[in-house]
Amino acid sequence: MKLKHLLSFVLLVLFTVSLTNSYALKEGSNNIFTNADSLFKTANVFQSGMVIQQRKPFAIWGNAAAGSTITIKADWINKVFKVTADGLNYWKGSITVPKAVPGDFKAHNITIISGDKTISLTNLLIGDVWVASGQSNMQFGMQGQEGKDNGVLNYTEEIAAANYPNIRWLYVDLNFKAQPYDQVTGKWVQCSPETVGRFSGVAYYFARDLYQHLNIPIGIVLSNIGASTGQAWTSRIEMQSDTALYNKYLKPYDDSPKSKEVIDGGFSWDKVTRPTLLYNAMIHPLAGLSIKGIIWYQGEFNHTDKGKYTLLEQHMIKGWRDDFGQGDLPFYFVQMPSFYWNNPDPKAFDYAEFREAQANILKVVPNTGMAITLDDNVPMILHPRNKKPVGERLAQIALNNTYHQKDIPYLGPQFSKMKISGSEVKLYYKKETLGGGLATRDTLAPRQFFVAGADSVFHVASARIDGDNIILKSDSVANPVAVRFAYTNMAVINLFNKSGLPAEPFRTDDWNIKYVDPKIKLDYDKLNKGK
């Protein structure tokens, strides 16, 4: 069973690499903003068929001969915008974009002129654009293969129904760069049964849910690759700005021979983990693009970093927001689902500590939200196939927080406080997260609760729902002092609110308990190769 699921991980990444490698830019190939090329053009992200962000100035840029005048005209505004190419043959302009009207899917055009040369961008839609990034669980595609553990659940039916021409995406081709780069490759594509197979399952369900609620065009810029680390998506500037980050991630790399290698665009298990390389090639070129927000599903290959990951993400998000230059853009992410990490011990909780580090991002970074996934009952599988609730929960966060549709629930039950009475513990939940009341999905008693006494040893607790509260008791703990919920690596929960959202894991203690099992050693090379 282990070999089967680990092989599926390898096949997922290699399948995507095979599709993207032919497009990957090699080191030294054309970078339209750092050479003397005066050929008139736009950056590749600007294409016919794309979605343009509503209600923001639409920045557009490219190359032209130094000193030449570039005229930009959009068919939705009776105004001509003019800019001049600078001494590096670079130009950048900005166009006012109106509010998207629900139900209006009229195709628009932009015309860009320099001298006797004209670039026409046609079949443009005005709506909202989201960046979707991360590693393999964001990359995980809609299409499956018979007899294999890939593709979303019911992918045949889901793909056949994916006829949404007003949902469009740009799949950024895989690339690596040692220094910040200014160009991506990839093509804007309309969503259809013929095209959706390769697209991210999580991003598709996110986009579809937004589209169905908002009735406006939705664009997704998908920039991800399996097995990648958070530091690979973070800028050097941000990691150098914090001593702890620099010492943890950047200095070991800079001091190694790897940092002196010539970096090309081809995939390797090692390059997707190296600091800055993916940021340089797949995020930095998008800097300045007008967008609505960002969704993020990453963390598997940072799971041993624990508290350092909170700091890393804080800086990564700051760097991205600075690059896009549109304030505190919404940043919504997925908390890791259950996974055993080659350790079948049901008491292991090191991955739970990582999930806690993810939750702590909400405390230190404004305008963020987290989707809970601990109800997915496949703790032996690194890539759960049930991507629909993940994408839809991210969409619910966006609909409530970004689009102010306050009737859309987005929070599962969150712990507020506890009261101890003898051997029983009464748990209280934040009122705004009850969503109509507590319930279990399978109608059985709530699971994954543990209590401990002063000895700091946790024991399984029986739990029952009492109105808006949970009552806990363990025959092994006469005088409980602490509670943990879903605080193990392989926890699968059944506690929800009546709005259908799963409860968030928590612990009431701050004990520095170390989980150590010397018999378990995780070999990442074997994990990646499916052995």
Side-chain angles (χ1 to χ4, degrees), residues 285-411:
L286 304 173
L289 181 68
S290 300
I291 64 172
K292 188 69 171 181
I294 300 161
I295 57 173
W296 174 253
Y297 194 164
Q298 189 278 333
E300 296 93 334
F301 275 26
N302 285 95
H303 78 275
T304 61
D305 292 356
K306 301 177 185 177
K308 284 288 194 299
Y309 186 78
T310 308
L311 183 64
L312 176 65
E313 290 299 282
Q314 182 179 4
H315 280 268
M316 188 198 81
I317 296 167
K318 177 185 178 299
W320 287 23
R321 286 173 169 173
D322 287 348
D323 285 343
F324 283 102
Q326 294 158 62
D328 286 341
L329 285 166
F331 189 98
Y332 304 137
F333 61 93
V334 180
Q335 189 181 52
M336 290 295 102
S338 300
F339 188 61
Y340 78 127
W341 287 109
N342 285 5
N343 184 352
D345 183 355
K347 296 180 181 178
F349 59 85
D350 48 305
Y351 205 23
E353 292 178 310
F354 178 76
R355 293 189 203 106
E356 184 177 63
Q358 289 185 293
N360 287 337
I361 296 168
L362 303 173
K363 301 176 183 178
V364 296
V365 184
N367 206 13
T368 53
M370 182 176 73
I372 308 299
T373 60
L374 285 180
D375 56 312
D376 207 326
N377 190 22
V378 286
M380 307 297 281
I381 299 177
L382 186 61
H383 304 106
R385 296 177 60 195
N386 194 15
K387 301 302 186 191
K388 183 185 291 187
V390 183
E392 290 178 345
R393 287 168 192 172
L394 287 169
Q396 286 175 272
I397 297 171
L399 288 166
N400 188 290
N401 289 337
T402 302
Y403 295 99
H404 310 295
Q405 295 191 4
K406 297 305 180 181
D407 59 325
I408 303 291
Y410 75 101
L411 293 172

